[in-house]
């Protein structure tokens, strides 16, 4: 009887030990499964305006999409399946939501959705093939991207032009958010929002223009104003002009005096001639009156002609 009790106790202890071991093994399998699932979920990366420079190193396949786009919604399942193969192929699979990242939309000039880019060490190529997992895998595995002409460095996402485009898209999104805030939360009518933005654009343009003028004047001053003897030359030139003006006025006065002298001489000559040709016995006073009357008549005729 004692032997039976001992055997039963040993069997129960063995069963509990095996049960504990199996529970530990089950927990281990669950942990492995969870870690594998999380790794698969992390295989599809998201690129943002602050982290986009990561794609300049290594090999990447990047999808630009929008949540409201039907074609993008159909591609999401295929793209996630393709991302599960990324680690095995040594390729980073990423996606960009253009509604949340307007700067990247402008940087890559996204004009249609979805748009897929291949990047290899900072060299970008636009994918134009079929949108299936097999086509994506063969595109990367067989290096079909080598047959596609890369994007010019002038239009590369890290160029000055694309940086400007990115800033412009960010500004447009900021203006749109401000407009929505003023119309939805502050209760400003739509036309009032347009007026505010118009005035802000006008005054900012004026301020920017004045700033550019000041900068240009400071960086590239005029040579005539920056010269040390400019004001001395200017004063000398003004004095020379004043002297010339005085000489011209003096010459004009001299010509007027000469004209008056000539007129007086002509009048005296007329007086002499008339006096010689006057009849005897005609008094000098009467002759003078006749000459004066003749002169007044000539002056009146000249006034009428003018």
């Amino acid at each position: 009887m004692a032997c039976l009790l001992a055997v039963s106790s040993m069997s129960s202890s063995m069963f509990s030990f095996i049960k504990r071991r199996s529970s530990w093994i089950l927990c281990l399998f669950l942990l492995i499964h969870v870690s594998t699932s999380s790794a698969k979920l992390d295989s599809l990366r998201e690129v943002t305006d602050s982290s986009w420079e990561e794609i300049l190193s290594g090999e990447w396949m990047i999808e630009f999409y929008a949540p409201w786009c039907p074609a993008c919604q159909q591609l999401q399942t295929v793209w996630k399946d393709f991302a599960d193969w990324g680690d095995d192929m040594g390729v980073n699979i990423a996606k960009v939501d253009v509604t949340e990242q307007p700067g990247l939309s402008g940087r890559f000039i996204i004009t249609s959705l979805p748009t897929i880019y291949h990047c290899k060490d900072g060299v970008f190529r636009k994918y134009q093939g079929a949108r299936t997992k097999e086509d994506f895998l063969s595109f990367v595995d067989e290096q079909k991207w080598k047959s596609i002409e890369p994007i010019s460095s002038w239009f590369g996402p890290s160029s000055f032009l694309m940086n400007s485009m990115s800033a412009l898209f960010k500004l447009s999104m900021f203006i749109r958010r401000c407009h929505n805030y003023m119309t939805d939360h502050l209760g400003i009518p739509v036309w009032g929002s347009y007026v505010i933005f118009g005035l802000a654009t006008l005054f900012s343009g004026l301020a920017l223009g004045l700033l550019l003028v000041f900068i240009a004047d400071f960086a590239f001053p005029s040579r005539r104003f920056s010269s040390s003897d400019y004001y001395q030359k200017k004063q000398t030139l003004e004095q020379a002009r004043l002297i010339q003006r005085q000489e011209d006025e003096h010459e004009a006065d001299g010509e007027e005096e000469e004209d008056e002298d000539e007129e007086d001489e002509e009048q005296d000559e007329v007086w002499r001639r008339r006096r010689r040709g006057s009849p005897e016995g005609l008094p000098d006073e009467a002759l003078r009156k006749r000459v004066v009357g003749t002169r007044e008549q000539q002056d009146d005729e000249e006034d009428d002609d003018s």
Side-chain angles (χ1 to χ4, degrees):
M1 189 69 177
C3 293
L4 291 174
L5 290 173
V7 171
S8 62
S9 62
M10 288 178 62
S11 61
S12 61
S13 62
M14 286 288 293
F15 179 75
S16 61
F17 175 75
I18 292 172
K19 186 177 181 180
R20 285 196 300 269
R21 293 286 293 182
S22 62
S23 61
W24 280 104
I25 293 172
L26 181 60
C27 292
L28 182 61
F29 276 115
L30 288 174
L31 288 174
I32 293 173
H33 177 72
V34 170
S35 61
T36 306
S37 300
S38 62
K40 287 185 178 181
L41 289 175
D42 294 336
S43 61
L44 182 59
R45 306 176 62 176
E46 290 191 7
V47 180
T48 62
D49 284 322
S50 59
S51 64
W52 76 271
E53 293 183 352
E54 295 179 358
I55 65 179
L56 297 178
S57 60
E59 188 173 3
W60 293 74
M61 288 286 286
I62 311 157
E63 176 206 6
F64 291 84
Y65 74 100
W68 48 263
C69 173
C72 300
Q73 296 172 2
Q74 295 177 1
L75 183 61
Q76 291 308 304
T77 304
V78 176
W79 196 252
K80 289 179 181 179
D81 294 339
F82 173 55
D84 294 338
W85 290 79
D87 293 335
D88 298 332
M89 303 181 66
V91 180
N92 298 296
I93 313 300
K95 62 179 180 178
V96 178
D97 186 355
V98 296
T99 60
E100 297 293 333
Q101 311 298 330
L104 292 179
S105 177
R107 190 180 296 277
F108 287 86
I109 315 181
I110 304 303
T111 57
S112 61
L113 295 174
T115 299
I116 299 173
Y117 275 95
H118 174 271
C119 177
K120 176 69 173 179
D121 296 329
V123 180
F124 291 84
R125 294 174 173 85
K126 193 172 183 180
Y127 178 81
Q128 301 286 357
R131 298 169 184 172
T132 63
K133 185 180 72 172
E134 290 75 15
D135 290 313
F136 293 146
L137 292 174
S138 63
F139 179 80
V140 175
D141 187 42
E142 299 176 9
Q143 297 185 355
K144 293 182 179 180
W145 47 267
K146 290 184 177 181
S147 61
I148 301 175
E149 184 179 358
I151 296 175
S152 174
S153 58
W154 288 97
F155 297 98
S158 57
S159 64
F160 174 77
L161 180 61
M162 293 300 101
N163 284 326
S164 302
M165 289 294 294
S166 175
L168 183 62
F169 272 65
K170 289 180 181 179
L171 178 61
S172 64
M173 184 58 67
F174 173 75
I175 293 174
R176 181 178 179 182
R177 289 173 180 173
C178 291
H179 172 74
N180 293 334
Y181 178 78
M182 286 189 292
T183 54
D184 296 338
H185 298 278
L186 300 181
I188 299 176
V190 176
W191 63 267
S193 176
Y194 291 158
V195 170
I196 292 173
F197 281 115
L199 294 175
T201 303
L202 177 62
F203 286 112
S204 61
L206 292 175
L208 182 59
L210 289 174
L211 180 62
L212 291 176
V213 169
F214 290 149
I215 293 175
D217 196 24
F218 177 78
F220 306 100
S222 177
R223 292 184 178 180
R224 62 175 188 174
F225 292 108
S226 61
S227 178
S228 58
D229 56 347
Y230 166 73
Y231 294 101
Q232 184 177 359
K233 290 181 180 179
K234 182 178 180 181
Q235 186 176 5
T236 304
L237 183 61
E238 289 178 353
Q239 290 177 355
R241 289 177 180 175
L242 180 60
I243 294 172
Q244 184 67 30
R245 190 182 300 111
Q246 291 176 353
E247 291 178 353
D248 294 339
E249 291 177 356
H250 183 68
E251 290 179 358
D253 294 339
E255 291 177 357
E256 291 178 358
E257 291 177 357
E258 291 178 359
D259 293 339
E260 290 177 357
D261 294 338
E262 290 178 357
E263 289 179 359
D264 293 339
E265 290 177 359
E266 290 178 357
Q267 291 175 2
D268 293 339
E269 183 67 22
V270 172
W271 170 259
R272 292 190 193 97
R273 289 177 181 177
R274 290 185 177 182
R275 189 173 183 181
R276 290 194 195 101
S278 62
E280 295 181 358
L282 187 64
D284 294 340
E285 186 67 26
L287 184 60
R288 182 178 289 108
K289 288 181 179 180
R290 181 184 295 179
V291 172
V292 170
T294 304
R295 290 179 58 186
E296 290 179 353
Q297 185 178 359
Q298 291 177 354
D299 293 339
D300 293 338
E301 291 176 357
E302 291 178 356
D303 293 338
D304 293 337
D305 295 336
S306 61

